Amino acid sequence: MKIGVLNSGGDCPGLNAVINGVVGAADKLGWEVYGFIDGFEGLLPKGCDYVKLTPDDTIGIAKLGGTILGTTNKGHFAAKVGEGNVAKIPADIMETARNNINELGIEAIIIIGGDGSLTTALQMNQEGFNVVGVPKTIDNDLEATAMTFGFDSAVTSVVDALDRLQTTGQSHKRVMVLEVMGRHAGWIALWGGIAGGAHAILIPEIDFDLDKVADFIKERESEGKRSSLVVVAEGARVTGGELITKNQGMGSVSEVKLGGAGDIVANHLHVKTGKDTRSCVLGHLQRGGSPTAIDRILGARFGVKAVKMIEGGKFGRMVSYEAYHVGSVPIEQA
């Protein structure tokens, strides 16, 4: 049997661990694995753009960040085009991919991705493709799974940054504001902020008043606590309920580029408290680097489970993680 595997969207620590799990499990069944290059785009060239993967090709890759297959969050298969907005993949693109896959003899494809990639996977499944989804996102924003691989690695980088900001903030008696990723979900901010000892955590899911945050910091000051750590999620709505984006007014239907919330929070707190305030954007440092042990193990388990789902003919479903058990749910539910 020939199966395909691809990852799409943003890169994420643990991707290579999933690929390693897929290849190892497939090899035990005597199957061939084709890794498509740069996500769904690898399905479009004549004959497809792929590499055949064997256990020899994946030795030692679980500890590596990024992905050996490359990835993209743009291209012909962009189905998620904004918060809650979905575009239909053009019929000719679907047909080209179908013909190329059939020509290779691929019987099923494992799609590793977040909400955008799995939205595409859902459309492909509805068009008759045999697909199995694997949840991948540092944002941990997919329903029907308690955790996605990459999340723990991202949180670990936030905690490390807060540990560093705390010492410099204390030395200068400053308010230090850290902006973190997560898009429209506050998981990274919440977990990273709690573990890193932040004094205020601002997330999209909970409305907040910056004047109250400023009052809180002034109260800390009156108690002799001269420095404070504030974590703000990039998707936090800090100006009249509107998202702060880097591509406002561009008229694009693509996903908005979030960013700037940290600076706005820092400026407001400086004005309201009179304290020296600094902001730091952690940005793509949260995506890079080697995965944590948890993400390596979770990635491997997800990869093996995806192969077992193909073996059992369970298509149109996504691997999920609940109560330490790796199972599956319909992609549509996720």
Side-chain angles (χ1 to χ4, degrees), residues 2 7 12 16 41 61 68 76 79-80 83 88 90 105 128-129 194 201 225-226 245 257 274 276 286-287 291 323 325:
K2 297 179 181 179
N7 47 246
C12 179
N16 286 321
E41 298 302 298
I61 69 169
I68 62 170
H76 299 83
K80 196 75 179 295
E83 190 178 7
K88 183 74 173 175
F129 290 80
I194 292 174
I201 304 169
K225 299 166 184 173
R226 307 296 298 278
T245 67
K257 294 181 180 179
D276 195 12
Q286 295 158 91
R287 285 198 178 283
H325 174 71

Side-chain angles (χ1 to χ4, degrees), residues 25 37 77 90 93 103 142 166 201 216 220 241 252 311 319 327:
I37 304 301
F77 289 85
I93 298 299
E103 187 174 325
L142 283 168
Q166 184 176 33
I201 304 169
F216 169 67
R220 285 177 50 80
S252 172
E311 184 183 23
V319 177

Side-chain angles (χ1 to χ4, degrees), residues 53 91 97 121 132 144 150 158 164 168 172 175 179 188 196 200 236 238 295 304 331:
L53 296 171
V132 168
V158 172
R164 296 170 186 271
T168 184
H172 292 272
V175 176
E179 179 184 315
I188 294 176
V238 296
D295 284 339
V304 171
I331 292 177

Side-chain angles (χ1 to χ4, degrees), residues 6-64:
L6 64 84
N7 47 246
S8 182
D11 65 303
C12 179
L15 273 169
N16 286 321
V18 180
I19 295 169
N20 187 46
V22 167
V23 172
D27 183 68
K28 293 291 185 183
L29 296 171
W31 296 358
E32 294 181 2
V33 179
Y34 290 67
F36 295 103
I37 304 301
D38 293 338
F40 294 103
E41 298 302 298
L43 304 176
L44 293 182
K46 181 65 175 177
C48 294
D49 188 5
Y50 68 88
V51 291
K52 288 187 69 174
L53 296 171
T54 70
D56 288 342
D57 301 315
T58 59
I59 291 175
I61 69 169
K63 65 177 178 288
L64 303 178

Side-chain angles (χ1 to χ4, degrees), residues 168-295:
T168 184
Q170 287 176 333
S171 298
H172 292 272
K173 302 177 179 63
R174 288 172 173 158
V175 176
M176 307 299 290
V177 178
L178 180 66
E179 179 184 315
V180 303
M181 284 181 166
R183 296 198 63 76
H184 308 293
W187 285 101
I188 294 176
L190 185 63
W191 280 48
I194 292 174
H199 304 106
I201 304 169
L202 310 180
I203 61 176
E205 293 86 348
I206 299 178
D207 293 338
F208 57 87
D209 184 333
L210 278 176
D211 287 339
K212 290 184 179 180
V213 179
D215 290 341
F216 169 67
I217 289 173
K218 287 189 286 187
E219 181 181 339
R220 285 177 50 80
E221 183 87 2
S222 69
E223 297 170 350
K225 299 166 184 173
R226 307 296 298 278
S227 67
S228 296
L229 285 175
V230 179
V231 174
V232 55
E234 63 181 356
R237 301 173 185 268
V238 296
T239 55
E242 294 182 2
L243 284 171
I244 309 304
T245 67
K246 294 180 179 179
N247 57 349
Q248 284 176 319
M250 293 175 64
S252 172
V253 297
S254 64
E255 290 261 45
V256 294
K257 294 181 180 179
L258 299 175
D263 284 340
I264 289 177
V265 170
N267 291 337
H268 186 96
L269 295 181
H270 170 66
V271 171
K272 291 293 183 177
T273 66
K275 286 190 66 64
D276 195 12
T277 306
R278 296 288 188 273
S279 66
C280 177
V281 180
L282 199 51
H284 284 76
L285 289 170
Q286 295 158 91
R287 285 198 178 283
S290 297
T292 60
I294 286 177
D295 284 339

Side-chain angles (χ1 to χ4, degrees), residues 79-103:
K80 196 75 179 295
V81 293
E83 190 178 7
N85 299 317
V86 176
K88 183 74 173 175
I89 305 300
D92 61 325
I93 298 299
M94 285 285 198
E95 193 60 25
T96 298
R98 189 193 313 277
N99 291 338
N100 288 340
I101 291 169
N102 289 342
E103 187 174 325

Side-chain angles (χ1 to χ4, degrees), residues 301 321-326:
R301 292 181 70 186
Y321 181 72
E322 292 289 347
Y324 301 101
H325 174 71
V326 175

